[in-house]
Amino acid sequence: MSIRLNETLHTMGEIKTEIINAAKQIGDLVDSLILRHAPAKPLEPTMYIDLEGVNLCREGTLSIFTLLIDTGTPTPSVYLIDVFSLGMQTFETTGAKGQTLKDVLQNENIPKVFFDVRNDADVLFAHFGVALQGVQDVQLMESASRATARSRKHLNSLARCVEQYSPDRRGLASWKLAKENGTKLFNPKSGGSFTVFEKRPIPSEIISYCVGDVQYLPQLWKRFEVAANMQRDLVNNETRERVLASQRPGYKPNGPSRTLAPWNEDQNRTLDRCHGPGPRAHFDDDEAWDFDDDKVWDFDYEEDFVFSTYDDWVDDSPTNCRDIIPEWDLDLYYSD
């Protein structure tokens, strides 16, 4: 199957898309992943991942595992693995080499790129015993790329990053349209339901929506990958902490604190040094912050920033709709 999507930062044109809903397909996919990563650890990742489900976390379900394979060719491949139909076979089916998708995901020498890995790591560990390793989180990479502590205080959503860093306005418009069409199917306020992720065959709007969640990740990764060891080490350490935190009993998949970047004062000073001389705003400089303690930042895909009170707060920072508590105001939320 091949679907026509928008042009991306480097004119991806047609994206080859395949639905994986049989054990043999899983085995073949695992074999290709093992073969691709048989040599030394690649300089750049080739696996870009996003998950979808109903309340995607330990308290919900995983329905679709979206995997983009980017080997530098003009036409990348996207696989939508039907976890809803395959269940544990998704992660336990062995290929010719005796390896499974679980083995690949737990191999620290095979890099995997996510945008906000937290709830993805949570659902994989809680329901399938998959302890992710080798993760790179573009949301944290983008946050660390900002020049000052003040600018780094809040995290950006995927939609915000794509809007901000994509020079292709025509492609961006069609990307938004695909996202909006998919959102209408699961947004209860638009007459949709989150259970649409469990509908089979997968609706074409949901296929395009899922592909949209990964199609920009290779370009964003390249944009924010840095050579500075201090900055890269900070991001890698915080990414590992995100994964480990998602596996702990007290993990909270929702909440206002999820919009805040993880950097403490010392980490911010290190990031400041990585970005060189310039204006600084540290956590110990109270006058440097102009934020009202009773408010948080919301990011809207059509606005730069929107202030709202905690009563109206919408969690737009996590990657997908699964992080939304149903009674919150979904009209203000643009899912990634």
Side-chain angles (χ1 to χ4, degrees), residues 1 5 12 15-20 48 65-69 76-80 207 210-212 214-215:
M1 175 181 183
L5 293 171
M12 293 168 72
I15 296 180
K16 294 169 55 180
T17 305
E18 181 178 351
I19 306 297
I20 304 291
Y48 298 82
F65 185 115
T66 307
L67 169 65
L68 182 148
I69 301 296
S77 298
V78 174
Y79 301 92
L80 270 65
I207 292 175
C210 292
V211 172
V214 294
Q215 72 178 91

Side-chain angles (χ1 to χ4, degrees), residues 127-164:
H127 291 286
F128 301 99
V130 176
L132 283 173
Q133 294 194 63
V135 173
Q136 299 182 31
D137 194 322
V138 172
Q139 188 183 53
L140 292 177
M141 293 169 65
E142 188 276 335
S143 175
S145 75
R146 301 182 216 165
T148 65
R150 178 175 178 176
S151 68
R152 289 189 292 268
K153 184 176 182 182
H154 290 88
L155 297 166
N156 271 344
S157 66
L158 175 61
R160 174 72 174 161
C161 288
V162 171
E163 274 207 324
Q164 184 172 350

